[in-house]
Amino acid sequence: MTCIPFPAMKRRLIAILRGPRPEETERIVGTLIECGFTAIEIPLNSPDPFRSIEIAVKAVPADVLIGAGTVLTQDAVDQLHDLGARLLVAPNIDPEIIVRAREKGMVTMPGVFTPSEALLAARLGASSLKFFPANVLGPSGITAIRAVLPPDQPIAAVGGVSERNFAEYVKAGIHAFGLGSCLYKPGMTVKEVAGRAKATIQAYDLAIQEGIAPVAV
């Protein structure tokens, strides 16, 4: 199946904002972009998520990837597409959702944990695979599963990954990450988000410089 490729990114980092209120979304997203992030995910179990996503889409440059996580229905896919969101992240593999999003030109990143799930998602044309929870699999577990995937299949580690352990994953050849609570938690100030974002970017850049040259997401 034709795959919608994951866009090229200077840093293969997706900021996961779980729980922002619409009225604070623009400032938080703007701060993350200023710090160097170019992909933002707002899970649909956040308060009024579609409103927050709409605000984010309108507030960012065209090359910034905005979308949703925890996408579980085809109706949600349609609504996200109508808002201009281009990234669809799911905790599971639902063939109908992946195919529908792909037909609408959206970048898809379903969650996988086993070789069977990873191979199925790749066969469905997922743009990238979200290995979740990455801290359970660890770099060695993801690497073992990756060995049976198409060599050009993009992957990302999500769950329990932060500036503290980037180096472990990079040494294993994993260069794309989804980052949640290490970046943002509900109630944090913009200043706090900026501080965490800057520390994350610095740690990621250092890990890449000291590790193997990065590959596409």
Side-chain angles (χ1 to χ4, degrees):
M1 295 186 179
T2 303
C3 171
I4 303 300
F6 209 104
M9 298 167 61
K10 180 180 179 180
R11 298 180 179 92
R12 285 87 176 170
L13 300 174
I14 300 174
I16 304 170
L17 304 181
R18 189 181 302 277
R21 300 186 307 276
E23 60 268 25
E24 62 184 348
T25 296
E26 184 172 351
R27 291 187 67 200
I28 293 171
V29 169
T31 296
L32 290 169
I33 293 171
E34 289 176 5
C35 291
F37 282 84
T38 55
I40 310 289
E41 168 198 338
I42 299 177
L44 294 186
N45 52 6
S46 301
D48 203 358
F50 291 104
R51 177 60 182 148
S52 290
I53 291 167
E54 181 181 24
I55 290 170
V57 168
K58 292 180 178 179
V60 304
D63 60 343
V64 174
L65 191 64
I66 299 290
T70 321
V71 181
L72 300 174
T73 68
Q74 294 186 58
D75 286 344
V77 175
D78 295 341
Q79 191 169 350
L80 289 167
H81 178 261
D82 291 344
L83 292 175
R86 296 189 294 129
L87 173 65
L88 185 147
V89 183
N92 63 332
I93 301 170
D94 185 321
E96 292 182 345
I97 287 177
I98 294 175
V99 170
R100 193 179 192 95
R102 197 187 69 237
E103 289 174 346
K104 291 182 175 294
M106 300 176 73
V107 173
T108 55
M109 183 181 282
V112 302
F113 189 77
T114 67
S116 295
E117 292 173 342
L119 286 167
L120 173 58
R123 190 160 58 247
L124 290 168
S127 305
S128 182
L129 308 184
K130 179 181 83 170
F131 279 94
F132 176 84
N135 59 333
V136 176
L137 285 165
S140 60
I142 296 174
T143 299
I145 297 173
R146 190 179 194 178
V148 304
L149 296 173
D152 59 347
Q153 175 63 57
I155 67 168
V158 182
V161 182
S162 71
E163 75 279 3
R164 297 181 180 182
N165 56 9
F166 281 146
E168 300 172 26
Y169 289 89
V170 171
K171 288 177 182 177
I174 301 161
H175 306 95
F177 306 99
L179 307 167
S181 59
C182 66
L183 272 181
Y184 170 81
K185 293 180 180 178
M188 288 179 60
T189 65
V190 171
K191 183 178 180 180
E192 289 172 328
V193 173
R196 292 197 178 192
K198 291 174 183 177
T200 298
I201 292 291
Q202 183 178 22
Y204 178 82
D205 288 348
L206 180 61
I208 292 297
Q209 290 169 9
E210 294 182 347
I212 303 171
V215 296
V217 142

